[in-house]
Amino acid sequence: KATYEVDPKDVTKEMVSPYPAKVARKRAKHIVMRDPSIEGQEIQANVRTVPGILNTRHCAFAGCKGVVVGPFGDVLHIVHGPVGCSYYTWMTRRNQYRSREDGKNYMSYCVTTDMQDSDIVFGGVKKLRQAVQEGYDIFKPNAITITATCPVGLIGDDIQTVAKEMTEELGISVVAFNCEGYKGVSQSAGHHIANNGFFKNWVGEGEATDEEIEGFTVNLLGEYNIGGDSYEIERVLEKCGINVIATFSGDGTYDAATKAHLAKLNLVMCHRSINYMAEMMETKFGVPWTKVSFIGVQAFAKSLRKVARFFNDEALTQRIEEVIAEEVAAAEAEIAPIRERLQGKSAILFVGGSRAHHYQDLFADLGIKTIAAGYEFAHRDDYEGRQVLPLKVDADSRNVEELRVEKDPERYKLTADPAWVEQLKEEGFLNRYEGMISEMGEDTLMIDDISHHELETLIKRLKPDIVGSGIKDKYVIEKFGVPCKQLHNYDYGGPFAGFQGAVNFAKDIDMRINNPTWKLVKAPWQN
Ligand code: CFN
Ligand code: HCA
């Protein structure tokens, strides 16, 4: 249960009070106080932001190129558009990639067609084709992506035909994504477009065979290797004897992505950005998915136990328990003395579409409770859980080809024991996500697509000890004398996932909250 110095209901009123009446009514639907006595609490989400409100969302291009497409490291990513969009998705997310044997690694490059006035007037297709050819000649990448920025859709450049022709000409996969920034209401539309493009062109395609890969095979879906998170996760999975086939898309390679359909289980980390891939892989190849989180000591242990349950193998289960015991003890030895200095502190978390939920577990490991949280662009299922919502085509699917495909019984046999999988599905263990609301404490606040004004009100009234958010509000928050930890790019730190990541996080948060400098800060407006 959250306790405040002020009545949180008054805070809610204050948050919407300066808006015009109609806007206030709209915004109020995005603000919910957790009441566990209400079955199936609802919240408004994934709708267009009212113009004039300052928030922290990004566009479909950012969600497609910046988030899901960009992390594949042996693939050359060409942005078709004026230079700005490419530049602003260049390395700021801190997704890492380590070169494989072929040494191909284009992570540090920023490649764009740099459209000019004449391309807008006469069309940019010729220039794009030339860019793909040049990119291939210079780098010989394992695949190429083309991502479209707003003007490409406005002038109607046919990037799909360029991709098709260049695939034939060069003999490597060239995939085009019509992820023009104006599509949908946020970056969420871009995730969907990216999922569809990769599923259609890569998974089970290329050189991939349908030959079974022995062992406890999984894919990591929705893990993006920010600050090296995947390295810590894979270290532990390997130690347990769990074999990662492909990752979408942190530290991901083209070749692994084409083999993703051979994994027996999909581990869905960020449901928001990759649930489409999970569902399509289930439908076409019969690979089931389970929701996991690797953020937080207890959460990671719980997720490993989920994998153990799925594979239902005695030796694997025993190995996983041994690893958990060893790793938890090592992490706990370092975290325990830090927890003494953090116990009882409060946090408010406003991040994209899953971290505002996942990081609550890690803060809880440190003795810090989350008293308010929300996503920038998540959908109602990320808050309410999929089971309470009828599956319907959402607004973000506009302009996106429907890619649902019928199950292929020949391929279905490649997955784990079908009878056991069916049983787990019936239990609700597989293919199901509960969402944020059910895990929030009583009287905590949830605010969707929070505005800067609303966030400032929360800081003034709830006086959190730390805020977890991103670059657009970080320095405003710190002018209030409240430390801000960026939960997007981790500032300069990480990894924060997994057991050793939790130790890194504990040290980082301790340095922030218990830094005496904050007491000396006086906001300019306090004078
Ligand atoms: S790494 Fe992920 S975890 S992919 Fe998504 S919803 Fe963004 S880029 Mo910023 S940090 Fe954030 Fe999530 Fe999934 Fe990252 S919370 S906003 S689009 N996100
Ligand atoms: C994006 C990327 C971003 C931005 C981070 C931030 C990221 O939304 O396009 O606002 O601080 O994680 O890099 O979410």
Side-chain angles (χ1 to χ4, degrees), residues 200-233:
K200 185 177 174 185
N201 291 285
W202 285 8
V203 179
E205 300 293 330
E207 306 281 296
T209 64
D210 284 347
E211 217 161 287
E212 181 168 2
I213 300 176
E214 292 290 325
F216 307 112
T217 52
V218 299
N219 296 316
L220 287 184
L221 302 190
E223 210 305 306
Y224 299 95
N225 202 19
I226 310 301
D229 274 355
S230 304
Y231 304 147
E232 165 65 2
I233 294 165

CSV table of all heavy atoms in Angstrom, one decimal, residues 200-233:
chain,number,residue,atom,x,y,z
A,200,LYS,N,7.8,-11.9,-42.0
A,200,LYS,CA,7.5,-12.3,-43.4
A,200,LYS,C,8.8,-12.7,-44.2
A,200,LYS,O,8.8,-13.6,-44.9
A,200,LYS,CB,6.8,-11.2,-44.1
A,200,LYS,CG,6.3,-11.4,-45.5
A,200,LYS,CD,5.6,-10.2,-46.0
A,200,LYS,CE,5.2,-10.5,-47.5
A,200,LYS,NZ,4.6,-9.2,-48.1
A,201,ASN,N,9.9,-11.9,-44.0
A,201,ASN,CA,11.0,-12.0,-44.8
A,201,ASN,C,12.2,-12.9,-44.2
A,201,ASN,O,13.0,-13.4,-44.9
A,201,ASN,CB,11.6,-10.6,-45.1
A,201,ASN,CG,10.7,-9.8,-46.0
A,201,ASN,OD1,10.7,-10.1,-47.2
A,201,ASN,ND2,10.0,-8.9,-45.4
A,202,TRP,N,12.2,-13.0,-42.9
A,202,TRP,CA,13.4,-13.7,-42.3
A,202,TRP,C,13.1,-15.0,-41.6
A,202,TRP,O,13.8,-16.0,-41.8
A,202,TRP,CB,14.1,-12.7,-41.3
A,202,TRP,CG,14.9,-11.7,-41.9
A,202,TRP,CD1,14.9,-11.3,-43.3
A,202,TRP,CD2,15.7,-10.7,-41.3
A,202,TRP,NE1,15.7,-10.3,-43.5
A,202,TRP,CE2,16.3,-9.9,-42.3
A,202,TRP,CE3,16.1,-10.5,-39.9
A,202,TRP,CZ2,17.2,-8.9,-42.0
A,202,TRP,CZ3,17.0,-9.5,-39.6
A,202,TRP,CH2,17.5,-8.7,-40.7
A,203,VAL,N,12.0,-15.0,-40.7
A,203,VAL,CA,11.8,-16.2,-39.9
A,203,VAL,C,11.5,-17.4,-40.8
A,203,VAL,O,10.4,-17.4,-41.5
A,203,VAL,CB,10.8,-15.9,-38.8
A,203,VAL,CG1,10.5,-17.2,-38.0
A,203,VAL,CG2,11.1,-14.8,-38.0
A,204,GLY,N,12.3,-18.4,-40.7
A,204,GLY,CA,12.0,-19.6,-41.5
A,204,GLY,C,12.4,-19.5,-43.0
A,204,GLY,O,12.1,-20.3,-43.8
A,205,GLU,N,13.0,-18.3,-43.4
A,205,GLU,CA,13.3,-18.1,-44.8
A,205,GLU,C,14.8,-18.2,-45.0
A,205,GLU,O,15.5,-18.6,-44.1
A,205,GLU,CB,12.8,-16.7,-45.2
A,205,GLU,CG,11.3,-16.5,-45.1
A,205,GLU,CD,10.5,-17.4,-46.1
A,205,GLU,OE1,11.0,-17.6,-47.2
A,205,GLU,OE2,9.4,-17.8,-45.7
A,206,GLY,N,15.3,-17.7,-46.1
A,206,GLY,CA,16.7,-17.7,-46.4
A,206,GLY,C,17.3,-19.1,-46.5
A,206,GLY,O,16.7,-20.0,-47.0
A,207,GLU,N,18.5,-19.3,-45.8
A,207,GLU,CA,19.1,-20.6,-45.9
A,207,GLU,C,18.6,-21.5,-44.9
A,207,GLU,O,19.0,-22.7,-44.8
A,207,GLU,CB,20.6,-20.4,-45.5
A,207,GLU,CG,21.4,-19.3,-46.4
A,207,GLU,CD,21.7,-19.9,-47.7
A,207,GLU,OE1,22.6,-20.8,-47.8
A,207,GLU,OE2,21.2,-19.4,-48.8
A,208,ALA,N,17.6,-21.0,-44.1
A,208,ALA,CA,17.1,-21.8,-43.0
A,208,ALA,C,16.5,-23.2,-43.4
A,208,ALA,O,15.8,-23.3,-44.4
A,208,ALA,CB,16.1,-21.0,-42.2
A,209,THR,N,16.8,-24.2,-42.6
A,209,THR,CA,16.2,-25.5,-42.9
A,209,THR,C,15.2,-25.7,-41.7
A,209,THR,O,15.0,-24.9,-40.9
A,209,THR,CB,17.2,-26.6,-42.8
A,209,THR,OG1,17.7,-26.6,-41.4
A,209,THR,CG2,18.4,-26.4,-43.7
A,210,ASP,N,14.4,-26.8,-41.8
A,210,ASP,CA,13.5,-27.2,-40.8
A,210,ASP,C,14.0,-28.3,-39.9
A,210,ASP,O,13.3,-28.9,-39.2
A,210,ASP,CB,12.1,-27.6,-41.4
A,210,ASP,CG,11.4,-26.4,-41.9
A,210,ASP,OD1,11.8,-25.2,-41.5
A,210,ASP,OD2,10.4,-26.5,-42.6
A,211,GLU,N,15.3,-28.5,-39.9
A,211,GLU,CA,15.9,-29.6,-39.1
A,211,GLU,C,15.9,-29.2,-37.6
A,211,GLU,O,16.3,-28.1,-37.3
A,211,GLU,CB,17.3,-29.8,-39.6
A,211,GLU,CG,17.7,-31.3,-39.6
A,211,GLU,CD,18.9,-31.5,-40.5
A,211,GLU,OE1,18.8,-31.4,-41.7
A,211,GLU,OE2,20.0,-31.7,-39.8
A,212,GLU,N,15.5,-30.1,-36.8
A,212,GLU,CA,15.3,-29.9,-35.4
A,212,GLU,C,16.7,-29.6,-34.8
A,212,GLU,O,17.7,-30.2,-35.1
A,212,GLU,CB,14.7,-31.0,-34.7
A,212,GLU,CG,14.5,-30.8,-33.2
A,212,GLU,CD,13.7,-31.8,-32.5
A,212,GLU,OE1,13.2,-32.7,-33.2
A,212,GLU,OE2,13.5,-31.6,-31.3
A,213,ILE,N,16.7,-28.6,-33.9
A,213,ILE,CA,18.0,-28.3,-33.1
A,213,ILE,C,17.7,-28.9,-31.7
A,213,ILE,O,16.8,-28.6,-31.1
A,213,ILE,CB,18.2,-26.8,-33.0
A,213,ILE,CG1,18.4,-26.2,-34.4
A,213,ILE,CG2,19.5,-26.5,-32.1
A,213,ILE,CD1,18.6,-24.7,-34.4
A,214,GLU,N,18.6,-29.9,-31.4
A,214,GLU,CA,18.5,-30.6,-30.1
A,214,GLU,C,18.7,-29.7,-28.9
A,214,GLU,O,19.3,-28.6,-29.0
A,214,GLU,CB,19.6,-31.7,-30.0
A,214,GLU,CG,19.5,-32.8,-31.0
A,214,GLU,CD,18.3,-33.7,-30.8
A,214,GLU,OE1,18.0,-33.9,-29.6
A,214,GLU,OE2,17.7,-34.2,-31.7
A,215,GLY,N,18.1,-30.1,-27.8
A,215,GLY,CA,18.3,-29.3,-26.6
A,215,GLY,C,17.2,-28.4,-26.2
A,215,GLY,O,16.1,-28.4,-26.8
A,216,PHE,N,17.5,-27.6,-25.1
A,216,PHE,CA,16.5,-26.7,-24.6
A,216,PHE,C,16.6,-25.4,-25.3
A,216,PHE,O,17.4,-24.5,-24.8
A,216,PHE,CB,16.7,-26.6,-23.0
A,216,PHE,CG,16.7,-28.0,-22.4
A,216,PHE,CD1,17.9,-28.4,-21.8
A,216,PHE,CD2,15.6,-28.8,-22.3
A,216,PHE,CE1,17.9,-29.7,-21.2
A,216,PHE,CE2,15.6,-30.0,-21.7
A,216,PHE,CZ,16.7,-30.5,-21.1
A,217,THR,N,16.0,-25.3,-26.4
A,217,THR,CA,16.2,-24.1,-27.2
A,217,THR,C,15.1,-23.0,-27.0
A,217,THR,O,13.9,-23.4,-27.0
A,217,THR,CB,16.2,-24.5,-28.7
A,217,THR,OG1,15.0,-25.3,-29.0
A,217,THR,CG2,17.4,-25.3,-29.1
A,218,VAL,N,15.5,-21.8,-27.0
A,218,VAL,CA,14.6,-20.7,-26.8
A,218,VAL,C,15.0,-19.5,-27.7
A,218,VAL,O,16.2,-19.5,-28.1
A,218,VAL,CB,14.6,-20.2,-25.3
A,218,VAL,CG1,14.1,-21.2,-24.4
A,218,VAL,CG2,15.9,-19.6,-24.9
A,219,ASN,N,14.1,-18.6,-28.0
A,219,ASN,CA,14.4,-17.3,-28.5
A,219,ASN,C,14.2,-16.3,-27.4
A,219,ASN,O,13.3,-16.4,-26.6
A,219,ASN,CB,13.5,-16.9,-29.7
A,219,ASN,CG,13.7,-17.9,-30.9
A,219,ASN,OD1,14.8,-18.2,-31.3
A,219,ASN,ND2,12.6,-18.3,-31.5
A,220,LEU,N,15.0,-15.2,-27.5
A,220,LEU,CA,14.7,-14.1,-26.6
A,220,LEU,C,14.0,-13.0,-27.5
A,220,LEU,O,14.5,-12.5,-28.4
A,220,LEU,CB,16.0,-13.4,-26.1
A,220,LEU,CG,16.8,-14.2,-25.0
A,220,LEU,CD1,18.0,-13.3,-24.6
A,220,LEU,CD2,15.9,-14.5,-23.8
A,221,LEU,N,12.7,-12.8,-27.1
A,221,LEU,CA,11.9,-11.8,-27.9
A,221,LEU,C,11.8,-10.5,-27.0
A,221,LEU,O,11.4,-10.6,-25.8
A,221,LEU,CB,10.6,-12.3,-28.3
A,221,LEU,CG,10.5,-13.6,-29.1
A,221,LEU,CD1,9.1,-13.8,-29.6
A,221,LEU,CD2,11.4,-13.5,-30.3
A,222,GLY,N,12.0,-9.4,-27.6
A,222,GLY,CA,11.8,-8.1,-26.9
A,222,GLY,C,12.9,-7.8,-25.9
A,222,GLY,O,12.7,-7.2,-24.8
A,223,GLU,N,14.1,-8.2,-26.2
A,223,GLU,CA,15.3,-7.9,-25.4
A,223,GLU,C,16.3,-7.2,-26.3
A,223,GLU,O,16.6,-7.7,-27.4
A,223,GLU,CB,15.9,-9.2,-24.8
A,223,GLU,CG,16.6,-9.0,-23.5
A,223,GLU,CD,17.7,-7.9,-23.4
A,223,GLU,OE1,18.6,-7.9,-24.3
A,223,GLU,OE2,17.6,-7.0,-22.6
A,224,TYR,N,16.7,-6.0,-26.0
A,224,TYR,CA,17.4,-5.2,-27.0
A,224,TYR,C,18.9,-4.9,-26.6
A,224,TYR,O,19.5,-4.0,-27.2
A,224,TYR,CB,16.6,-3.9,-27.2
A,224,TYR,CG,15.3,-4.3,-27.8
A,224,TYR,CD1,14.1,-4.4,-27.0
A,224,TYR,CD2,15.1,-4.6,-29.2
A,224,TYR,CE1,12.9,-4.8,-27.5
A,224,TYR,CE2,13.9,-4.9,-29.7
A,224,TYR,CZ,12.8,-5.1,-28.9
A,224,TYR,OH,11.6,-5.5,-29.4
A,225,ASN,N,19.4,-5.5,-25.6
A,225,ASN,CA,20.8,-5.4,-25.2
A,225,ASN,C,21.2,-4.0,-25.0
A,225,ASN,O,22.3,-3.5,-25.4
A,225,ASN,CB,21.7,-6.0,-26.3
A,225,ASN,CG,23.1,-6.4,-25.7
A,225,ASN,OD1,23.2,-6.5,-24.5
A,225,ASN,ND2,24.1,-6.6,-26.6
A,226,ILE,N,20.4,-3.2,-24.3
A,226,ILE,CA,20.7,-1.9,-23.8
A,226,ILE,C,21.8,-2.0,-22.8
A,226,ILE,O,21.6,-2.8,-21.8
A,226,ILE,CB,19.5,-1.1,-23.3
A,226,ILE,CG1,18.3,-1.2,-24.2
A,226,ILE,CG2,19.8,0.3,-23.0
A,226,ILE,CD1,18.5,-0.7,-25.6
A,227,GLY,N,22.9,-1.3,-22.9
A,227,GLY,CA,24.0,-1.3,-21.9
A,227,GLY,C,24.5,-2.7,-21.7
A,227,GLY,O,25.1,-3.0,-20.6
A,228,GLY,N,24.3,-3.6,-22.6
A,228,GLY,CA,24.9,-5.0,-22.5
A,228,GLY,C,24.0,-6.0,-21.7
A,228,GLY,O,24.5,-7.0,-21.2
A,229,ASP,N,22.7,-5.6,-21.5
A,229,ASP,CA,21.8,-6.5,-20.8
A,229,ASP,C,21.8,-8.0,-21.2
A,229,ASP,O,21.9,-8.9,-20.4
A,229,ASP,CB,20.4,-6.0,-20.9
A,229,ASP,CG,20.0,-4.9,-19.8
A,229,ASP,OD1,20.9,-4.7,-19.0
A,229,ASP,OD2,18.9,-4.4,-19.9
A,230,SER,N,21.8,-8.2,-22.6
A,230,SER,CA,21.8,-9.5,-23.1
A,230,SER,C,22.9,-10.4,-22.7
A,230,SER,O,22.8,-11.6,-22.5
A,230,SER,CB,21.7,-9.5,-24.6
A,230,SER,OG,20.7,-8.8,-25.1
A,231,TYR,N,24.1,-9.7,-22.6
A,231,TYR,CA,25.3,-10.5,-22.2
A,231,TYR,C,25.2,-11.2,-20.9
A,231,TYR,O,25.6,-12.3,-20.7
A,231,TYR,CB,26.6,-9.6,-22.3
A,231,TYR,CG,26.8,-8.9,-23.6
A,231,TYR,CD1,27.3,-7.6,-23.7
A,231,TYR,CD2,26.4,-9.5,-24.8
A,231,TYR,CE1,27.5,-7.0,-24.9
A,231,TYR,CE2,26.6,-8.9,-26.0
A,231,TYR,CZ,27.1,-7.6,-26.0
A,231,TYR,OH,27.3,-7.0,-27.2
A,232,GLU,N,24.6,-10.4,-19.9
A,232,GLU,CA,24.4,-11.0,-18.6
A,232,GLU,C,23.3,-12.0,-18.6
A,232,GLU,O,23.4,-13.1,-18.0
A,232,GLU,CB,24.1,-9.8,-17.6
A,232,GLU,CG,23.5,-10.2,-16.2
A,232,GLU,CD,24.4,-11.1,-15.4
A,232,GLU,OE1,25.6,-11.3,-15.8
A,232,GLU,OE2,24.0,-11.5,-14.3
A,233,ILE,N,22.2,-11.8,-19.4
A,233,ILE,CA,21.2,-12.8,-19.4
A,233,ILE,C,21.7,-14.1,-20.1
A,233,ILE,O,21.4,-15.2,-19.5
A,233,ILE,CB,20.0,-12.2,-20.3
A,233,ILE,CG1,19.3,-11.0,-19.6
A,233,ILE,CG2,18.9,-13.3,-20.6
A,233,ILE,CD1,18.4,-10.2,-20.4
